[in-house]
Amino acid sequence: MRLRIGQGWDRHRLEPGLPCILGGVLFEDAPAGPVAHSDGDVAAHAVADALLGAASLGDLGRLFPDTDPAYAGADSLTLLADVAARVRAAGWRLVNADLTVICEAPRIAPRAAAMAARLAAALGVPADDVSIKATRGEGLGPEGRGEAITVQAVVLLSGEESGS
Ligand code: MG
């Protein structure tokens, strides 16, 4: 069996009044939401880049350019499902994904299970193969000041032995 690890990182600026969608879950109580060309789902973007990295298939910006009007307001879970399909087509199976969300608000913990379920559905894996953790910026940096939200993701892929 071949194994590949991939990491993804995404950060978006937050602006008051914008919707905040993370892992396909709308946080109605969020004081601000990500500025983005798509729906700004930072969690979906970070996982997608981790998958693409593990499979050596480029990155999200190359596949879905934010200059392309086709992706204006795009549902990032749809983009993530597309990425997962490309990774499967390349012969890889997702073992697990582990995410860390870094922000002051909204509170992630109460909705972490819902986020994991929605991301897992897009990825085509059981919900318990996706882990959502959260931490705060302790007042430091753009996340700590509530100016940005950042997500880090790590994925593990397995594939059949190539025989070479
Ligand atoms: Mg992004």
Side-chain angles (χ1 to χ4, degrees), residues 16-158:
L18 294 179
C20 184
I21 299 171
L22 294 169
V25 173
L26 175 65
F27 285 74
E28 297 94 344
D29 55 336
V35 177
H37 183 64
S38 66
D39 65 4
D41 190 331
V42 194
H45 297 174
V47 182
D49 258 351
L51 284 169
L52 291 169
S56 297
L57 291 174
D59 63 44
L60 202 58
R62 231 185 291 174
L63 291 183
F64 310 109
D66 64 6
T67 50
D68 188 336
Y71 304 118
D75 174 356
S76 296
L77 284 193
T78 304
L79 304 185
L80 179 61
D82 183 314
V83 164
R86 289 170 195 247
V87 168
R88 279 194 298 274
W92 297 105
R93 186 184 69 81
L94 176 62
V95 177
N96 74 304
D98 183 25
L99 285 73
T100 303
V101 182
I102 306 156
C103 63
E104 285 300 299
R107 280 193 64 227
I108 301 299
R111 314 289 299 277
M115 289 173 63
R118 298 223 56 195
L119 288 169
L123 292 164
V125 299
D128 63 358
D129 290 338
V130 178
S131 151
I132 308 285
K133 313 185 302 301
T135 187
R136 295 170 61 191
E138 300 286 335
L140 299 170
E143 296 88 359
R145 291 191 297 268
E147 297 166 359
I149 184 162
T150 296
V151 176
Q152 299 177 344
V154 175
V155 303
L156 186 68
L157 302 181
S158 71

